[in-house]
Amino acid sequence: MKKVDLIVIGAGPAGIGAAVEAKLKGKEVVLLEKADAICQTFVKFYKDGKRVDKEYKGHDSTNRGHIPFEDGTKESSLATFEEALKANNIELELNSEVESVKKSGENFIITTPKQSYECKNIIVAIGRMGKPNKPDYKIPATLNKVVNFNANSVQEGEKIIIIGGGNSAAEYAVDLASKHKVTLCYRRDKFTRLNDINLNDVETAAKEGKITLKLGVDISEVQDENGKVKMLFNDGSSEVYDRAIYAIGGSTPVDFLQKCGIEVDDKGVPVFDAHKQSNVKGIFVAGDIATKNGASIVVGLNDGVIINDYLA
Ligand SMILES: Cc1cc2nc3c(=O)[nH]c(=O)nc-3n(C[C@H](O)[C@H](O)[C@H](O)COP(=O)(O)OP(=O)(O)OC[C@H]3O[C@@H](n4cnc5c(N)ncnc54)[C@H](O)[C@@H]3O)c2cc1C
């Protein structure tokens, strides 16, 4: 069993930020990531070349941490976080999904498939993207390959429908519009959750005829039409697409929080104090997991500062 001051669970921006701030304050810290690479939200949900904004969804964009994150792309942002780990000599363990957290006297015991750790404090920074939201109507299993929850499988020239009204849906639509025939479908009459840049990009692309907007219309059924996606809309219309991408958010991995004994509210958001400490003394929450709708990279980085200032 390895003994350290702090275990950080999840190597996204919030977890990496928290580990770096802890190390700079002289703490012995290990960062555990379940996947075989860091920043899985970038890897799985950002399209290659995606613009990454420091000011995102109107969240605080003043970075109070020591990782020099600036506006850039998916690739430059990944490089920034890789470099921060290297420059600060952070002990990162990949393929280390945390399965359980147990209290042992004043300390905690954490078990991964590779090793067990004993630590004084834990920062949970597992994000919210583990489980993308799915629509409540049934999607035929035969369409699994062409009904997706990110844009990774898109083939050039496809006719695509993107469902959702948030920044992810807008960014997928605008990015894909240059090489595909794209429809953006949102059940409300207008976009209320987009940041200014994305709202402007969507409106411009729609005006220029690069994307088709289908607003105020919901999908009532999805059918398999010879391997293509037939969407039946609640206004009585229907249309066939090569591919559908649902970008309708993700839910808090409540099971994990509850396994740690962390109290969650009726929306599945953990309960915490001004230092981001949960009801379990010694367990803190950082980044998207501490929010209802997800936050931003800078918010995640700043959470690491708040927690480590308190622990110092
Ligand atoms: C399409 C899209 C575009 C976005 N664009 C921007 C943007 O331009 N600017 C911006 O600021 N924000 C943007 N965001 C939001 C930003 O990506 C998130 O706010 C940020 O990634 C949250 O960081 P995090 O560290 O809290 O969680 P995540 O980035 O989700 O990282 C969590 C990590 O924890 C790991 N993990 C999960 N469970 C376990 C476990 N049990 N054990 C070990 N590891 C685990 C995951 O594999 C993952 O690597 C965007 C989000 C999306 C989806």
Side-chain angles (χ1 to χ4, degrees):
M1 172 118 44
K2 188 174 167 112
K3 273 194 170 186
V4 287
D5 297 321
L6 175 70
I7 291 281
V8 180
I9 307 173
I16 296 173
V20 166
E21 301 305 329
K23 191 76 188 268
L24 289 171
K25 288 196 183 290
K27 292 263 157 49
E28 250 187 297
V29 53
V30 176
L31 175 59
L32 302 174
E33 167 58 48
K34 73 173 174 186
D36 59 2
I38 62 165
C39 292
Q40 286 300 299
T41 289
F42 294 11
V43 172
K44 285 196 195 147
F45 297 97
Y46 290 16
K47 259 183 63 65
D48 291 348
K50 169 190 150 42
R51 187 192 68 232
V52 177
D53 302 315
K54 197 171 164 191
E55 192 174 334
Y56 186 68
K57 285 190 184 172
H59 289 291
D60 180 8
S61 60
T62 306
N63 179 2
R64 296 180 183 81
H66 289 83
I67 296 181
F69 166 68
E70 295 296 343
D71 287 338
T73 60
K74 167 181 173 175
E75 292 74 16
S76 70
S77 304
L78 275 170
T80 298
F81 287 104
E82 293 278 8
E83 277 156 26
L85 289 170
K86 223 184 269 167
N88 293 284
N89 210 10
I90 301 296
E91 188 174 338
L92 166 70
E93 288 293 341
L94 298 171
N95 302 308
S96 294
E97 178 162 11
V98 176
E99 290 156 356
S100 66
V101 169
K102 286 197 188 80
K103 190 95 186 136
S104 162
E106 286 295 289
N107 291 345
F108 296 98
I109 307 289
I110 288 189
T111 313
T112 74
K114 283 159 70 175
Q115 185 160 358
S116 290
Y117 301 87
E118 184 171 347
C119 61
K120 287 193 205 110
N121 292 292
I122 297 171
I123 299 178
V124 178
I126 58 173
R128 312 176 66 251
M129 295 308 291
K131 295 176 188 164
N133 284 343
K134 306 217 163 148
D136 40 22
Y137 42 83
K138 218 174 151 359
I139 294 173
T142 47
L143 292 177
N144 277 353
K145 286 210 168 111
V146 285
V147 174
N148 312 135
F149 297 88
N150 59 49
N152 295 351
S153 311
V154 168
Q155 308 289 315
E156 204 163 320
E158 283 183 330
K159 179 178 171 188
I160 299 168
I161 181 165
I162 294 159
I163 303 103
N167 286 298
S168 305
E171 288 177 11
Y172 285 152
V174 171
D175 284 351
L176 293 172
S178 59
K179 290 192 180 140
H180 308 83
K181 200 166 175 338
V182 172
T183 298
L184 177 58
C185 175
Y186 183 38
R187 64 196 154 92
R188 300 201 194 285
D189 290 339
K190 55 181 182 194
F191 296 105
T192 51
R193 296 189 287 125
L194 297 187
N195 65 32
D196 292 346
I197 297 173
N198 285 336
L199 184 59
N200 180 54
D201 286 355
V202 166
E203 286 177 346
T204 307
K207 245 182 247 153
E208 291 172 353
K210 291 184 181 148
I211 59 177
T212 304
L213 292 183
K214 216 165 166 51
L215 297 179
V217 183
D218 211 350
I219 292 160
S220 44
E221 199 183 332
V222 181
Q223 293 177 352
D224 181 340
E225 176 126 325
N226 303 321
K228 296 196 179 217
V229 188
K230 181 170 183 183
M231 291 296 191
L232 282 74
F233 299 99
N234 64 356
D235 62 358
S237 64
S238 67
E239 181 127 14
V240 177
Y241 300 89
D242 297 314
R243 187 176 300 277
I245 299 174
Y246 285 86
I248 51 176
S251 54
T252 310
V254 176
D255 292 351
F256 180 87
L257 295 173
Q258 286 175 338
K259 257 201 237 166
C260 299
I262 296 175
E263 199 184 310
V264 296
D265 67 15
D266 57 353
K267 307 245 167 22
V269 179
V271 175
F272 54 84
D273 67 12
H275 311 293
K276 301 252 148 191
Q277 184 162 214
S278 72
N279 61 301
V280 183
K281 200 170 171 294
I283 304 187
F284 297 76
V285 285
D288 278 10
I289 187 69
T291 68
K292 176 168 165 271
N293 293 317
S296 71
I297 295 166
V298 169
V299 168
L301 293 174
N302 289 343
D303 283 352
V305 176
I306 294 169
I307 297 166
N308 283 293
D309 280 352
Y310 175 71
L311 288 176

